[in-house]
């Protein structure tokens, strides 16, 4: 496992990766962090400052000033630019120590540590040794924290035997080794997170397990990016976001220090999720999204089912990532807001392009594909571009009713791949009624058509539902008071399934959209969930999409004129 960690450290970037990992590692090892990395502004050469035992001075309490560099430090990295190691060390000596060192630590010995994911190359080791000999004093020393030392500290502190037992290490190693086999890699990573989650309480040990999760995730993502395979890293990031939020949600805000630490971990995991999502959706898939059948062909399967499932999965990821940027953009301002809204619009364009050139997205195979369709409609409405996707909902409705009438590969509530691969077993009434006994997609489509004012498509679909599907239970799912305690990690669907009435007692059709609005008004337990209270609504959408939980009607796109 040390080799895996060592290789990952070697490839970590200076900004956003090593400078995030190091403070977490030092904090876990008992150091007091007195200076965190900052973006923008002068840092006088110091990326991280910490107070604690100097391992190279028999554990003497010292202040350690870290100058962080990525990879190996070669000749160009030593003295080639203003950001190289030697100029940075000069800034530490000339500016940070005399002017910025906190007053209460001025009596402590100072250790300036050059920290890197790789090592100092032999070609400049003589220059490094000469610099150290000239500048060292009784109270000032220089240290080399290379990738090998960092790997040892990680393994002894955060991923050590006492914290990551052999069974857990086995899951971790398999997740990394099988990163090019996404399903197996994700399965092992999920087993690792489930095992760690059992020990995440409200104490400091629980925070340690969270840091374990974050570093394991970093290693997995790094190996996935190196292998140019984003599937397992993306799914792992999505699951890790839910685990990190659940740990933060359970930590009482009165425990300010632990709460702040867990919030910082959630921010880092979210940042990693956005990074992987951007690379996956915009950089890898984006250039091909508008090419006719390109993404369908990229599935590399002769099975129409495989293509359908893969394309709906991809569209849902694009829509969900776009909604994350939408909500963050709407809660910020200035340049940051513009960047988030720009990315949101690019993701919507990507999803629309997919729909236009991949006909399989017009014919959902599973009832839970209402999640992806619902996220897309909600994103379009948030962007003020609902008119760009209303034709999509109409066409889905037309094909839906046609397949029900002709009994040709109709939508079913089955989710097991083997059942879907055999579907339909036959065209008889018994199997048809069994495979269409309940649906969330049908009421979603009916309500959506009504809200779009698509009266022709609405009438046609209502006629088919009345004539071909009188046995079907149309329903919605809404959270209950217990949902917040179980949805994030395990995805248990504890909540209320509410059947919908399509006709009143006199047999006259009712407004399904109005009935759903009434349910939304009555079922307000969703507003008691901490994610919603803290403005992190996309967290609940992420849980629904990742765990395949029906999208609550509170997230169905609103009637025209209402905002999301």
């Amino acid at each position: 496992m040390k080799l895996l960690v060592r290789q990952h450290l070697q490839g970590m970037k200076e900004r956003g990766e090593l400078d995030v990992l190091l403070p977490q590692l030092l904090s876990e090892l008992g150091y007091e962090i007195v200076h965190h990395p900052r973006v923008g502004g002068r840092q006088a050469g110091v990326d991280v400052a910490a107070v604690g035992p100097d391992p190279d001075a028999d554990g003497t309490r010292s202040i350690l000033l870290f100058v962080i560099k990525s990879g190996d430090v070669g000749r160009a990295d030593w003295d080639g630019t203003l950001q190289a190691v030697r100029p940075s060390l000069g800034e530490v000596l000339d500016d940070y120590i005399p002017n910025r060192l906190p007053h209460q630590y001025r009596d402590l010995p100072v250790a300036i540590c050059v920290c890197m994911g790789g090592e100092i190359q032999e070609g400049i080791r003589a220059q490094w040794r000469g610099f150290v000999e000239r500048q060292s004093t009784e109270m000032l020393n220089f240290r080399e924290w290379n990738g090998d030392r960092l790997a040892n500290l990680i393994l002894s502190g955060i991923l050590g035997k006492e914290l990551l037992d052999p069974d857990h290490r086995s899951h971790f190693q398999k997740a990394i080794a099988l990163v090019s086999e996404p399903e197996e890699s994700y399965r092992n990573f999920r087993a690792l997170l489930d095992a760690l989650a059992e020990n995440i309480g409200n104490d400091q040990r629980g925070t340690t397990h969270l840091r374990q999760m974050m570093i394991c995730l970093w290693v997995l993502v790094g190996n996935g990016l190196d292998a140019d395979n984003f599937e397992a890293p993306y799914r792992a990031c999505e699951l890790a976001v839910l685990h990190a939020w659940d740990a933060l949600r359970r930590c009482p805000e009165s425990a300010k220090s632990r709460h702040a630490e867990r919030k910082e971990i959630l921010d880092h995991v979210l940042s990693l999720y956005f990074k992987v999502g951007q690379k996956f959706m915009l950089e890898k898939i984006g250039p091909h999204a508008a090419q006719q059948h390109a993404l369908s062909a990229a599935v590399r399967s002769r099975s129409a089912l495989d293509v359908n499932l893969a394309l709906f999965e991809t569209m849902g990821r694009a829509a969900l990532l776009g909604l994350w940027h939408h909500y963050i953009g709407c809660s910020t301002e200035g340049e940051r807001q513009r960047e988030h809204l720009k990315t949101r619009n690019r993701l919507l364009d990507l999803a629309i392009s997919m729909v236009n050139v991949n006909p399989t997205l017009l014919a959902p195979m599973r009832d839970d594909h209402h999640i992806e369709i619902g996220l897309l409609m909600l994103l379009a409405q948030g962007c003020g571009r609902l008119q760009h996707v209303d034709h999509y909902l109409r066409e889905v409705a037309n094909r839906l009713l046609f397949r029900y009438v002709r009994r040709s590969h109709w939508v079913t509530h089955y989710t097991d791949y083997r059942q879907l691969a055999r579907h339909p077993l036959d065209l008889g009434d018994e199997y048809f009624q069994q495979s269409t006994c309940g649906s969330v997609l049908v009421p979603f489509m009916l309500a959506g058509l009504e809200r779009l004012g698509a009266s022709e498509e609405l009438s046609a679909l209502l006629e088919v539902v009345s004539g071909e599907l009188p046995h079907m239970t149309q329903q919605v799912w809404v959270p209950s008071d217990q949902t917040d305690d179980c949805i994030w990690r395990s995805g248990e669907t504890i909540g209320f399934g509410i059947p919908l009435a399509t006709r009143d007692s006199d047999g006259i059709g009712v407004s399904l959209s109005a009935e759903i609005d009434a349910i939304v008004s009555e079922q307000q337990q969703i507003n008691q969930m901490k994610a919603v209270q803290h403005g992190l609504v996309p967290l609940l959408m992420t849980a629904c999409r990742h765990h395949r939980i029906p999208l609550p009607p509170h997230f169905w796109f609103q009637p025209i004129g209402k905002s999301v």
Side-chain angles (χ1 to χ4, degrees):
M1 185 158 58
K2 180 179 177 180
L3 178 61
L4 292 174
V5 176
R6 182 73 175 78
Q7 289 174 339
H8 177 61
L9 290 167
Q10 175 81 20
M12 291 185 79
K13 297 179 182 178
E14 176 183 339
R15 293 287 173 255
E17 295 186 358
L18 266 177
D19 63 352
V20 173
L21 169 64
L22 183 62
Q24 295 285 344
L25 177 59
L26 292 172
S27 177
E28 186 57 40
L29 294 173
Y31 289 82
E32 177 187 354
I33 309 299
V34 298
H35 177 92
H36 286 270
R38 296 194 304 270
V39 178
R42 286 179 53 79
Q43 300 192 89
V46 174
D47 295 297
V48 176
V51 176
D54 182 356
D56 297 307
D58 297 325
T60 303
R61 189 169 187 265
S62 308
I63 180 162
L64 284 71
L65 308 179
F66 290 90
V67 177
I68 300 175
K69 298 298 174 184
S70 61
D72 293 333
V73 175
R75 189 170 300 279
D77 305 297
W78 171 249
D79 199 13
T81 66
L82 292 176
Q83 288 75 39
V85 174
R86 184 166 182 170
S88 297
L89 294 175
E91 287 191 66
V92 178
L93 294 170
D94 298 337
D95 187 353
Y96 191 91
I97 293 177
N99 302 321
R100 307 190 185 205
L101 195 67
H103 181 76
Q104 65 268 35
Y105 304 123
R106 288 187 178 272
D107 294 334
L108 294 178
V110 176
I112 301 177
C113 308
V114 178
C115 178
M116 70 220 82
E119 60 185 17
I120 295 178
Q121 294 180 351
E122 286 301 319
I124 63 159
R125 189 160 289 280
Q127 290 95 316
W128 160 251
R129 189 179 300 113
F131 183 90
V132 169
E133 290 176 354
R134 288 192 305 274
Q135 300 295 337
S136 296
T137 66
E138 185 178 349
M139 295 294 288
L140 174 65
N141 292 282
F142 293 81
R143 311 296 186 210
E144 178 184 345
W145 284 47
N146 58 25
D148 202 59
R149 167 172 278 191
L150 291 178
N152 285 334
L153 290 174
I154 289 172
L155 293 171
S156 64
I158 293 183
L159 297 180
K161 182 177 180 180
E162 70 278 8
L163 295 177
L164 200 60
D165 64 34
D167 291 338
H168 298 173
R169 290 202 301 271
S170 174
H171 288 309
F172 173 60
Q173 290 168 327
K174 288 178 182 178
I176 303 303
L178 297 172
V179 72
S180 295
E181 298 290 336
E183 191 62 38
E184 282 299 307
S185 178
Y186 171 78
R187 185 178 64 82
N188 279 281
F189 188 77
R190 179 162 190 162
L192 172 64
L193 292 198
D194 288 343
L196 293 176
E198 294 177 359
N199 300 313
I200 295 181
N202 294 329
D203 56 5
Q204 189 61 38
R205 185 173 176 83
T207 305
T208 294
H209 287 300
L210 271 183
R211 289 199 179 99
Q212 284 180 265
M213 177 198 76
M214 185 176 67
I215 292 177
C216 291
L217 179 66
W218 263 330
V219 177
L220 176 64
V221 169
N223 280 267
L225 296 183
D226 290 343
D228 198 31
N229 194 316
F230 297 89
E231 179 68 19
Y234 183 92
R235 294 178 66 186
C237 284
E238 208 170 62
L239 183 63
V241 166
L242 300 177
H243 275 257
W245 164 252
D246 189 64
L248 174 62
R249 181 190 65 82
R250 293 173 183 272
C251 183
E253 295 187 16
S254 57
K256 294 183 179 179
S257 177
R258 287 196 298 276
H259 194 272
E261 289 176 345
R262 295 188 181 196
K263 184 178 183 302
E264 184 180 9
I265 291 172
L266 174 62
D267 290 341
H268 291 325
V269 176
L270 270 173
S271 176
L272 198 57
Y273 166 67
F274 290 143
K275 175 183 176 181
V276 173
Q278 176 125 344
K279 284 184 173 293
F280 193 8
M281 303 309 304
L282 294 179
E283 296 179 18
K284 189 163 189 176
I285 292 177
H288 312 288
Q291 299 177 28
Q292 189 77 26
H293 304 302
L295 296 183
S296 297
V299 178
R300 295 185 178 180
S301 173
R302 296 181 179 181
S303 167
L305 173 63
D306 291 340
V307 175
N308 186 270
L309 297 180
L311 268 290
F312 267 98
E313 177 75 14
T314 304
M315 184 181 76
R317 291 175 180 178
L320 178 61
L321 191 58
L323 284 166
W324 268 108
H325 285 286
H326 171 73
Y327 276 88
I328 294 175
C330 290
S331 62
T332 55
E333 55 186 19
E335 183 61 28
R336 188 179 178 209
Q337 181 184 60
R338 287 189 289 273
E339 285 298 319
H340 279 291
L341 296 184
K342 179 181 177 182
T343 303
R344 173 201 69 179
N345 292 333
R346 290 178 64 192
L347 287 161
L348 178 59
D349 289 338
L350 186 152
I352 292 174
S353 297
M354 287 181 60
V355 168
N356 290 337
V357 298
N358 295 281
T360 188
L361 289 172
L362 302 174
M365 302 285 282
R366 298 192 327 207
D367 192 77
D368 64 359
H369 280 157
H370 83 276
I371 299 171
E372 284 72 26
I373 300 172
L375 293 175
L376 175 61
M377 302 302 291
L378 192 62
L379 176 61
Q381 189 167 28
C383 295
R385 296 170 57 187
L386 194 58
Q387 70 276 12
H388 293 169
V389 295
D390 64 347
H391 69 285
Y392 173 59
L393 199 72
R394 296 170 189 258
E395 186 61 27
V396 170
N398 288 333
R399 299 198 180 204
L400 189 67
L401 65 88
F402 176 81
R403 289 187 291 158
Y404 280 136
V405 171
R406 295 294 300 270
R407 296 197 179 182
S408 173
H409 293 92
W410 59 87
V411 178
T412 176
H413 61 81
Y414 297 139
T415 57
D416 180 75
Y417 182 83
R418 288 169 294 184
Q419 287 181 303
L420 289 169
R422 295 193 299 265
H423 175 73
L425 287 176
D426 60 62
L427 304 182
D429 290 342
E430 182 179 354
Y431 177 78
F432 181 74
Q433 293 178 13
Q434 180 183 359
S435 61
T436 58
C437 59
S439 176
V440 180
L441 176 63
V442 169
F444 172 83
M445 295 299 302
L446 292 172
L449 293 172
E450 187 176 341
R451 289 172 175 178
L452 285 174
S455 55
E456 183 178 341
E457 290 85 357
L458 176 62
S459 298
L461 184 55
L462 279 172
E463 183 178 349
V464 169
V465 170
S466 176
E468 302 291 332
L469 304 166
H471 58 279
M472 175 183 285
T473 301
Q474 298 181 43
Q475 57 192 321
V476 298
W477 177 84
V478 296
S480 69
D481 294 334
Q482 290 78 41
T483 301
D484 208 14
D485 293 326
C486 58
I487 190 175
W488 307 108
R489 297 194 315 234
S490 62
E492 294 180 42
T493 54
I494 293 180
F496 302 120
I498 302 177
L500 301 170
T502 56
R503 304 243 171 212
D504 61 18
S505 56
D506 297 324
I508 301 174
V510 299
S511 170
L512 203 59
S513 181
E515 186 179 356
I516 288 172
D517 287 341
I519 291 173
V520 169
S521 298
E522 293 170 4
Q523 303 294 331
Q524 291 295 307
Q525 295 90 336
I526 193 172
N527 293 323
Q528 304 305 315
M529 299 180 73
K530 286 189 177 181
V532 176
Q533 291 177 344
H534 286 75
L536 296 173
V537 176
L539 274 171
L540 184 52
M541 299 178 186
T542 302
C544 289
R545 204 203 70 79
H546 191 89
H547 296 306
R548 310 312 298 171
I549 298 171
L551 200 65
H554 309 73
F555 297 151
W556 295 8
F557 72 101
Q558 303 300 312
I560 305 302
K562 289 189 179 182
S563 60
V564 295

